[in-house]
Amino acid sequence: MQLSVIILNYNVRYFLELCVLSVQQALVGIDSQIIVVDNNSTDASSQMMQRRFPEVQFIQNKENVGFPKGNNIAVAQAKGKYVCILNPDTVVAEDTFRSVLAFAERQKNLGIVGVKLIDGSGKFLPESKRGIPTPWVAFTKIVGLYKLFPKNTLFNQYYAQQLPENQTGKTPILVGAFMVLHKELYQDLGGFDEDCFMYADDIDLSYRALQSGKDNYYYAGTTVIHYKGESTIKDGVYRKRFQEAMRYFYQKHFKTPVLFLLFMRIGAFLFLFAKIFQGKATKISSATQEYVVYSSSLELCHKLQRKFQKKVLLKTLDTEKLVISSKNTYLEPTELLFDNHFISFKEIIDSFMALRNKEIRFKILPKGSTYFIGSDHSTDRGTVIEIE
């Protein structure tokens, strides 16, 4: 078997359904398997998986064992030459795995491969590629020096800014939302460190792959949506775990003194505080002025008009390829609704990127579902719009 896709879920039932559906489409023609592990969700995720995807291998944990252990449990049952660690709040394109696997096969000293990630508004997620968070690099991130001097190698290492988002290259640290590596390497490294509950586990695994002599890569040849805000709630528990995770990583790899650990704990809190509130000024807050649905279903258009009590524009195409020009004019803010029965995930992802940085919201109707789903910002929990 060539590939095992591992998806660890916790209380994101609707995003999980969208994710698994996109993964199934992307695995057509690949000798593969999907393993979904549920960390004792309370939102009917298990019932949905059993009803909607009975063919998918499903592991139900009786408690929330955390990100590292949950993934380790799944990889132990994986049969693929490669494993892909994938967040449940992601959407992959139909050619994502073929493209990544082809790239991986060409490498002679492969460690971990990550890809270009965008959020639910189409904006690039800089954590797709990162440098080793040494004390200095972490400091430049915390105080914002990487923003002031984005081209200076002394200050721009946290997000590996020397490597453009559309350029493939070696990158030390990758994000756990999407990681592809040989199963053998995963096992040789001992998998994710189960002493680190979350938030530094992907940094730790990436760093240990480097220490073993392997090369990690950021691969820009495919793009994956990572809604991101669904994975965690930014509350007091989050802050505590984030600080503990960073402290654990530094103690494990850098043996830093107590005084510096205290500084990093304060810095981690400030960094997290900034993450919670970043982008709020640019979030779309005003009411939607225009709804546009890309579909071939007039019935769907009528349902949406009744739902929103507004006119909904139905756009259909004579060709199979969806082309949305960034020059298109919409009444802003506009909500674009993509019917996956009619439009491929790759076309949807391309549309997100073509129209990013505009006051446009995006929602997706997963094939075989009765709801649209999306997120307007990387810090949002996301929105589900039932249509039946």
Side-chain angles (χ1 to χ4, degrees):
M1 183 176 288
Q2 191 175 15
L3 176 66
S4 298
V5 179
I6 311 298
I7 305 170
L8 179 67
N9 176 69
Y10 181 66
N11 284 335
V12 289
R13 172 253 183 273
Y14 291 101
F15 279 95
L16 174 64
E17 183 174 0
L18 175 63
C19 175
V20 174
L21 183 63
S22 74
V23 169
Q24 285 186 326
Q25 295 299 311
L27 291 177
V28 173
I30 299 175
D31 185 15
S32 59
Q33 67 179 153
I34 303 172
I35 303 176
V36 174
V37 181
D38 185 78
N39 264 348
N40 197 31
S41 295
T42 58
D43 65 348
S45 291
S46 299
Q47 294 89 325
M48 181 278 295
M49 284 298 304
Q50 294 165 7
R51 173 184 56 80
R52 181 83 195 265
F53 305 107
E55 70 283 5
V56 171
Q57 184 174 343
F58 184 69
I59 300 172
Q60 176 67 67
N61 290 330
K62 294 183 179 179
E63 60 180 334
N64 184 354
V65 298
F67 182 88
K69 187 172 183 178
N71 280 293
N72 290 345
I73 289 171
V75 173
Q77 299 189 29
K79 300 177 181 178
K81 173 183 176 182
Y82 293 93
V83 293
C84 175
I85 306 300
L86 187 68
N87 267 31
D89 54 351
T90 57
V91 179
V92 301
E94 284 78 2
D95 63 351
T96 289
F97 294 124
R98 290 195 301 273
S99 183
V100 171
L101 290 174
F103 173 80
E105 288 287 282
R106 295 193 297 268
Q107 310 313 311
K108 296 182 179 179
N109 191 41
L110 183 69
I112 304 172
V113 181
V115 298
K116 180 179 179 180
L117 300 173
I118 61 173
D119 67 13
S121 68
K123 292 182 176 62
F124 175 67
L125 291 173
E127 61 267 28
S128 301
K129 50 183 180 65
R130 291 174 287 178
I132 299 170
T134 61
W136 167 252
V137 171
F139 176 76
T140 63
K141 164 61 180 173
I142 290 168
V143 300
L145 292 175
Y146 74 100
K147 291 182 179 179
L148 297 175
F149 308 99
K151 295 183 180 181
N152 189 311
T153 56
L154 184 64
F155 303 111
N156 69 1
Q157 297 175 54
Y158 188 87
Y159 286 131
Q161 288 164 283
Q162 74 282 0
L163 185 66
E165 68 175 81
N166 294 319
Q167 180 179 323
T168 297
K170 293 181 181 179
T171 303
I173 306 298
L174 300 161
V175 63
F178 186 107
M179 286 180 158
V180 170
L181 67 162
H182 286 101
K183 179 186 176 183
E184 183 178 0
L185 174 61
Y186 188 99
Q187 293 175 318
D188 289 345
L189 295 174
F192 286 107
D193 185 343
E194 295 182 13
D195 288 331
C196 183
F197 190 84
M198 56 175 20
Y199 307 125
D201 32 45
D202 50 2
I203 298 175
D204 177 69
L205 186 67
S206 298
Y207 189 66
R208 285 188 283 120
L210 293 178
Q211 288 182 312
S212 73
K214 298 296 184 179
D215 296 322
N216 296 336
Y217 289 91
Y218 166 73
Y219 176 63
T222 189
T223 302
V224 171
I225 300 171
H226 180 206
Y227 288 104
K228 190 178 175 181
E230 283 300 306
S231 300
T232 52
I233 301 175
K234 309 298 189 291
D235 57 10
V237 174
Y238 177 96
R239 289 194 295 271
K240 183 174 183 293
R241 289 175 179 168
F242 182 86
Q243 293 168 19
E244 290 175 349
M246 292 304 295
R247 183 172 66 248
Y248 177 80
F249 177 77
Y250 284 115
Q251 287 176 326
K252 178 177 180 179
H253 295 292
F254 297 107
K255 307 287 191 292
T256 52
V258 174
L259 183 61
F260 186 79
L261 286 173
L262 177 61
F263 167 77
M264 287 308 303
R265 183 170 185 178
I266 296 171
F269 176 80
L270 295 175
F271 169 56
L272 176 62
F273 188 80
K275 284 178 68 67
I276 294 173
F277 292 98
Q278 70 180 8
K280 284 195 177 292
T282 60
K283 288 174 66 173
I284 303 171
S285 58
S286 53
T288 298
Q289 298 298 310
E290 184 175 49
Y291 291 94
V292 179
V293 58
Y294 282 89
S295 176
S296 59
S297 172
L298 186 59
E299 180 184 0
L300 174 61
C301 184
H302 290 159
K303 286 182 179 180
L304 290 170
Q305 288 183 156
R306 292 193 295 269
K307 179 77 175 180
F308 300 133
Q309 293 296 300
K310 281 189 177 183
K311 181 180 179 180
V312 176
L313 299 179
L314 175 65
K315 293 198 174 183
T316 59
L317 299 168
D318 295 330
T319 60
E320 293 182 358
K321 184 174 177 58
L322 172 69
V323 179
I324 295 183
S325 169
S326 59
K327 296 180 181 179
N328 281 357
T329 301
Y330 297 101
L331 297 174
E332 295 184 346
T334 296
E335 188 132 325
L336 298 187
L337 307 164
F338 297 99
D339 181 359
N340 180 230
H341 298 85
F342 174 67
I343 304 167
S344 72
F345 286 115
K346 180 174 176 55
E347 290 168 333
I348 293 171
I349 291 170
D350 289 345
S351 301
F352 276 35
M353 290 190 292
L355 291 169
R356 66 181 176 181
N357 300 320
K358 295 181 177 291
E359 278 201 90
I360 295 177
R361 302 180 176 102
F362 304 101
K363 300 292 185 295
I364 301 173
L365 172 65
K367 188 180 297 183
S369 300
T370 59
Y371 61 88
F372 282 87
I373 189 168
S375 176
D376 300 335
H377 193 271
S378 59
T379 60
D380 283 344
R381 286 284 292 169
T383 302
V384 174
I385 303 173
E386 296 279 1
I387 56 174
E388 286 189 1

